[in-house]
C-alpha cells in the first residue's frame, strides 16, 4: 500500500513542475515574441508579467463551456483529455539526471513514439465530435500533417537508436559522454527538429491554427475548461519535444566534466533544464522569424524532400556502422565511431 | 493482482470486439477497434512482452487505425442508409456461417498441426541455395527452429526481448523474413502503380 502512495507521490513530483513549466513556457513565448517584435508584452501581473499565465488560466476556468447542440458529447469531452494525458505521459520515461526517472524503461524510445502517435486521436476526435465543418476540416488538416511528419521524426530517432545501440534513454545519454550526437548526426538533427516543429504544430507549420487566415483548427468549438486542456497539451508537447531534442542530440544531462561537482545541488538536472530552455527559445524564435507554409507546400516538403533525406541519412548511418565494423554492442568503441561519423558528415557538408 | 488485471484486459478486449460489430456508427466502430488494440497491447505489456505490445501500439493504433478513421470520417456517410443496408446483410447470416465453417474445415484439415510436417518444397530449395543449408537435415532444422514455439520461448528467456526476436528472425526464419518483405514491397508498389496511370494518360494527351 505504502509503495502505491510513494509511486503516486513520485508522479506528482514530476507532473506539478511539468505543468508549471508549461505555464512559464506560455509567458516565455509572449515575452520573447514581444521583444522580437519591439513590443512590451504582458507586464502588469506579477514582476515583469511573470504571473500572467495564472491569470489567463483563472480567466479560462471561470468561462462558460459551450457545447454545440449536435456534438457527440462523450468524444467532445474525451478528446481534450486524450490530448493532455498523452502529452503528459511522455514525461514518464525522461531521465532528469542519472537515475532520476519515473521509469528507467529499457524500451523508452519506443514508448515515446507510441505515446506520441496515440496523441493524434485527441485532434481527430475533437474535430469530428464537434459536428462543425470548420473544426472537422481543421482536424483533418492537422492529422494529415501530424501522421506525415511522424514518419520523419521516427526515422531520425531510429538513426540515433542505431548509433547508440539501445532503446533506453539513460543509455543513449550516457553514450554521449564522448561527443554529443549533434556533431556526427548534424543533418539528422536538422531533419528531426523540422519534424518536431511540424509535429507540435508550430510555425512555419502551424496551419492547424493559422489564426490570421483560417478559422482556428480542430478546437474551434471547444471553449472554457476543455480549451485549457488543449492549450496545456500543446505547450506540454513543446516542452517535452525540447527535452527529447536535448536528450537525443545534445546529450541530455551529460555535461563537460569541468562543470560537474558533487555538492547537494543536482547539476545534471540543471544542465538538462538549460538545454531544454534553449530549444524552447528556438521554438519561439522560429515563430517570430518564419512565415507560414501553404498546405500543399507543407505536404510536398514532407513526402518529396524530408522523407528521402531522412531515410538516406538513416541508411548512411547503418552503412557506416557495418563498413567500419563498429556495432554499438561494444560501447568502448562508440567514441571512435562517433569521430569517424563526425568526419564523414563534415566531408559531406563541404 | 497481475492475473486479475490480465483477465480484465482480455474480457475488455472481447467486449470491445463485440461492440466493433454491433456499433451502428462506423466511427464508433473504429473507436472500439482502437479499444481492442489498446487492450491487447496492455495485455502483452503486462505479460512482460513489452516490445511486442509497444510495436502493436505504434503500428496498429498509431498508423492503421488512424488511416481507417481518417477515411471513414471523410466518407460523409448517412447513418440511416447504413442501418438499412446493414439489415439487408444480416438476412444472410446463416449463409455466412456456412461459408465460414467450410473455410475453417479446409484450413484445419490442410494445415498440419506440427511444425515438423510443414510442406518444404520451395522453401527447402531456397534455403539450400541462399543460406548454404547443405543437407536436408539442415533445412528441416531451420524450419523447425522458425516455427517451434518452444525454441522461441527459450530465446525469449535467454536474451533481452529485441535481441531474442532478432536472433530467431535472422538466424532461423531469414527466408520467411525475405518472403514477407517481398510481399510487403508488392503491396506497397501495387497501389503506387495503380495510381500512376492517370499521370501517364495526361502526358500522352499532351503529346
Amino acid at each position: 500500500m505504502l509503495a502505491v502512495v510513494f509511486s503516486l507521490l513520485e508522479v506528482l513530483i514530476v507532473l506539478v513542475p511539468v505543468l508549471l513549466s508549461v505555464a512559464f513556457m506560455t509567458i516565455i513565448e509572449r515575452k520573447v515574441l514581444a521583444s522580437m517584435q519591439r513590443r512590451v508584452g504582458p507586464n502588469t501581473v506579477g514582476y515583469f508579467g511573470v504571473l500572467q499565465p495564472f491569470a489567463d488560466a483563472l480567466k479560462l476556468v471561470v468561462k462558460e463551456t459551450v457545447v454545440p447542440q449536435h456534438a457527440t458529447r462523450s468524444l467532445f469531452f474525451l478528446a481534450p483529455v486524450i490530448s493532455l494525458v498523452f502529452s503528459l505521459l511522455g514525461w514518464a520515461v525522461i531521465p532528469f539526471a542519472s537515475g532520476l526517472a519515473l521509469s528507467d524503461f529499457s524500451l523508452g524510445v519506443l514508448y515515446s513514439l507510441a505515446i506520441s502517435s496515440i496523441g493524434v486521436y485527441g485532434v481527430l476526435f475533437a474535430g469530428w465530435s464537434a459536428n462543425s465543418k470548420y473544426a472537422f476540416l481543421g482536424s483533418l488538416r492537422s492529422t494529415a500533417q501530424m501522421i506525415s511528419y511522424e514518419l520523419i521524426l521516427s526515422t531520425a530517432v531510429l538513426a540515433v537508436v542505431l548509433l547508440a545501440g539501445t532503446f533506453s534513454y539513460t543509455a543513449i545519454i550516457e553514450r554521449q559522454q564522448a561527443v554529443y550526437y549533434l556533431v556526427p548526426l548534424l543533418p539528422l538533427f536538422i531533419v528531426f527538429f523540422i519534424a518536431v516543429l511540424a509535429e507540435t504544430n508550430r510555425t512555419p507549420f502551424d496551419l492547424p491554427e493559422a489564426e490570421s487566415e483560417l478559422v482556428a483548427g480542430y478546437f474551434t468549438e471547444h471553449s472554457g475548461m476543455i480549451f485549457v486542456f488543449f492549450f496545456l497539451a500543446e505547450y506540454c508537447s513543446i516542452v517535452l519535444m525540447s527535452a527529447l531534442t536535448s536528450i537525443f542530440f545534445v546529450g541530455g544531462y551529460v555535461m563537460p566534466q569541468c562543470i560537474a561537482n558533487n555538492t547537494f545541488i543536482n547539476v545534471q538536472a540543471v544542465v538538462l533544464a538549460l538545454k531544454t530552455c534553449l530549444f524552447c527559445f528556438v521554438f519561439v524564435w522560429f515563430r517570430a522569424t518564419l512565415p507560414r507554409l501553404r498546405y500543399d507546400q507543407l505536404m510536398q516538403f514532407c513526402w518529396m524532400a524530408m522523407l528521402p533525406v531522412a531515410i538516406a541519412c538513416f541508411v548512411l548511418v547503418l552503412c557506416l556502422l557495418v563498413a567500419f565494423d563498429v556495432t554499438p554492442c561494444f560501447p568502448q568503441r562508440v567514441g571512435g565511431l562517433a569521430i569517424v561519423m563526425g568526419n564523414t558528415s563534415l566531408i559531406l557538408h563541404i | 493482482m497481475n492475473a486479475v488485471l490480465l483477465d480484465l484486459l482480455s474480457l475488455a478486449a472481447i467486449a470491445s470486439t463485440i461492440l466493433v460489430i454491433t456499433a451502428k456508427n462506423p466511427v464508433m466502430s473504429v473507436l472500439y477497434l482502437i479499444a481492442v488494440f489498446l487492450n491487447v497491447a496492455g495485455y502483452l505489456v503486462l505479460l512482460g512482452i513489452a516490445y511486442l505490445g509497444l510495436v502493436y501500439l505504434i503500428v496498429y493504433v498509431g498508423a492503421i487505425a488512424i488511416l481507417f478513421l481518417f477515411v471513414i470520417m471523410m466518407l460523409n456517410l448517412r447513418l440511416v442508409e447504413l442501418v438499412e443496408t446493414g439489415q439487408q446483410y444480416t438476412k444472410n447470416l446463416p449463409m455466412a456461417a456456412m461459408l465460414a465453417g467450410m473455410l475453417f474445415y479446409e484450413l484445419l484439415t490442410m494445415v498440419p498441426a506440427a511444425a515438423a510436417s510443414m510442406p518444404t518444397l520451395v522453401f527447402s530449395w531456397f534455403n539450400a541455395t541462399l543460406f548454404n543449408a547443405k543437407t536436408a537435415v539442415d533445412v528441416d532444422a531451420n524450419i523447425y527452429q522458425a516455427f517451434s514455439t518452444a525454441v522461441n520461448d527459450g530465446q525469449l528467456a535467454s536474451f533481452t526481448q529485441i535481441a531474442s526476436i532478432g536472433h530467431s528472425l535472422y538466424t532461423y526464419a531469414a527466408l520467411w523474413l525475405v518472403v514477407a518483405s517481398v510481399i510487403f514491397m508488392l503491396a506497397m508498389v501495387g497501389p503506387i502503380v495503380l495510381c500512376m496511370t492517370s499521370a501517364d494518360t495526361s502526358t500522352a494527351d499532351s503529346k
Side-chain angles (χ1 to χ4, degrees):
Chain A
M1 196 61 218
L2 208 61
V4 177
V5 174
F6 270 130
S7 51
L8 277 180
L9 271 181
E10 279 176 2
V11 171
L12 270 187
I13 286 170
V14 171
L15 278 194
V16 172
V18 161
L19 287 173
L20 274 180
S21 74
V22 169
F24 285 118
M25 178 65 210
T26 61
I27 192 68
I28 287 176
E29 168 147 47
R30 295 177 70 175
K31 287 301 264 191
V32 172
L33 216 53
S35 310
M36 285 180 180
Q37 294 164 349
R38 307 187 71 181
R39 296 184 283 119
V40 181
N43 64 346
T44 40
V45 191
Y47 292 102
F48 303 107
V50 170
L51 296 179
Q52 183 69 37
F54 301 102
D56 285 346
L58 194 68
K59 178 203 75 177
L60 280 169
V61 168
V62 297
K63 264 186 164 182
E64 185 190 358
T65 304
V66 184
V67 183
Q69 205 169 12
H70 293 289
T72 314
R73 289 183 69 100
S74 54
L75 284 182
F76 190 76
F77 285 103
L78 191 65
V81 176
I82 292 178
S83 293
L84 182 58
V85 166
F86 281 99
S87 57
L88 284 176
L89 271 180
W91 288 96
V93 288
I94 305 287
F96 297 98
S98 62
L100 275 188
L102 270 186
S103 152
D104 195 0
F105 191 19
S106 62
L107 297 169
V109 177
L110 269 186
Y111 171 84
S112 293
L113 290 179
I115 290 300
S116 78
S117 64
I118 297 177
V120 180
Y121 283 108
V123 176
L124 207 51
F125 286 143
W128 183 77
S129 64
N131 211 350
S132 138
K133 291 219 163 46
Y134 291 117
F136 182 58
L137 289 176
S139 88
L140 287 188
R141 243 186 300 146
S142 182
T143 316
Q145 169 182 339
M146 280 165 98
I147 55 181
S148 307
Y149 278 90
E150 208 169 86
L151 280 179
I152 297 162
L153 190 78
S154 28
T155 313
V157 168
L158 282 184
V160 173
V161 166
L162 266 187
L163 194 54
T166 170
F167 276 108
S168 142
Y169 277 116
T170 316
I172 287 178
I173 292 170
E174 297 295 341
R175 299 271 155 89
Q176 296 183 59
Q177 189 74 60
V179 58
Y180 295 162
Y181 284 155
L182 180 68
V183 180
L185 296 176
L186 183 64
L188 263 176
F189 167 71
I190 296 168
V191 167
F192 176 84
F193 200 73
I194 292 174
V196 162
L197 283 176
E199 194 71 4
T200 47
N201 297 332
R202 296 290 298 183
T203 329
F205 307 107
D206 62 342
L207 278 156
E209 44 190 306
E211 61 265 348
S212 47
E213 56 232 36
L214 301 163
V215 176
Y218 51 90
F219 48 70
T220 310
E221 301 290 343
H222 289 72
S223 52
M225 196 62 204
I226 44 179
F227 173 73
V228 175
F229 278 27
F230 274 127
F231 196 70
L232 280 179
E234 200 180 310
Y235 281 89
C236 179
S237 63
I238 290 172
V239 181
L240 178 67
M241 285 300 184
S242 307
L244 285 185
T245 316
S246 54
I247 283 174
F248 282 134
F249 291 99
V250 202
Y253 57 73
V254 157
M255 63 202 137
Q257 288 292 331
C258 56
I259 315 175
N261 69 352
N262 293 322
T263 52
F264 62 95
I265 301 171
N266 196 335
V267 184
Q268 287 181 323
V270 176
V271 166
L272 177 66
L274 283 179
K275 286 170 180 173
T276 307
C277 281
L278 179 74
F279 284 113
C280 286
F281 173 76
V282 174
F283 268 94
V284 183
W285 192 10
F286 270 61
R287 177 167 176 187
T289 312
L290 293 174
R292 187 175 297 135
L293 262 73
R294 222 169 52 217
Y295 192 68
D296 58 329
Q297 289 172 334
L298 177 102
M299 287 313 224
Q300 183 96 7
F301 181 61
C302 173
W303 291 99
M304 300 296 180
M306 295 294 286
L307 195 62
V309 168
I311 291 180
C313 287
F314 180 72
V315 174
L316 179 70
V317 172
L318 205 65
C319 292
L320 285 177
L321 282 175
V322 175
F324 291 95
D325 194 22
V326 272
T327 49
C329 302
F330 305 102
Q332 70 274 16
R333 290 214 217 143
V334 170
L337 164 79
I339 294 164
V340 171
M341 297 282 304
N343 287 340
T344 336
S345 59
L346 260 186
I347 293 164
L348 284 179
H349 284 296
I350 296 162
Chain B
M1 181 67 187
N2 256 5
V4 177
L5 270 180
L6 283 176
D7 284 350
L8 273 182
L9 276 175
S10 43
L11 275 181
I14 294 169
S16 13
T17 318
I18 294 168
L19 282 170
V20 171
I21 311 171
T22 52
K24 289 279 190 297
N25 192 336
V27 174
M28 293 312 257
S29 209
V30 177
L31 190 66
Y32 289 123
L33 189 67
I34 296 164
V36 177
F37 290 145
L38 285 178
N39 281 317
V40 173
Y43 188 84
L44 287 172
V45 170
L46 261 190
L47 272 185
I49 322 174
Y51 176 71
L52 284 186
L54 286 176
V55 168
Y56 219 84
L57 277 187
I58 293 175
V59 173
Y60 285 96
V61 181
I64 293 177
I66 284 188
L67 288 181
F68 269 14
L69 207 57
F70 206 77
V71 172
I72 289 175
M73 279 181 179
M74 284 208 289
L75 282 181
N76 195 18
L77 297 165
R78 285 238 203 92
L79 211 55
V80 188
E81 291 172 14
L82 266 182
V83 173
E84 275 176 21
T85 34
Q87 275 160 354
Q88 277 180 8
Y89 280 116
T90 41
K91 279 190 297 192
N92 302 332
L93 261 182
M95 178 82 164
M98 272 166 62
L99 280 177
M102 274 168 63
L103 189 72
F104 266 103
Y105 175 72
E106 281 172 9
L107 271 178
L108 289 178
T109 45
M110 279 170 65
V111 176
S117 54
M118 283 284 292
T120 56
L121 298 167
V122 188
F123 284 112
S124 59
W125 181 78
F126 269 115
N127 249 335
T129 45
L130 287 180
F131 302 112
N132 284 329
K134 290 282 177 342
T135 58
V137 179
D138 279 356
V139 174
D140 282 349
N142 263 2
I143 292 168
Y144 174 69
Q145 297 274 24
F147 285 98
S148 145
T149 48
V151 174
N152 290 333
D153 285 353
Q155 302 283 340
L156 211 57
S158 55
F159 289 106
T160 58
Q161 279 166 30
I162 304 179
S164 75
I165 292 169
H167 186 259
S168 14
L169 259 188
Y170 290 105
T171 324
Y172 306 120
L175 191 60
W176 286 272
L177 187 70
V178 172
V179 170
S181 339
V182 170
I183 292 172
F184 273 124
M185 182 80 181
L186 279 178
M188 202 173 75
V189 172
I192 295 175
V193 172
L194 283 176
C195 297
M196 289 282 275
T197 47
S198 60
D200 283 346
T201 50
S202 66
T203 49
D205 287 345
S206 61
K207 278 172 193 169

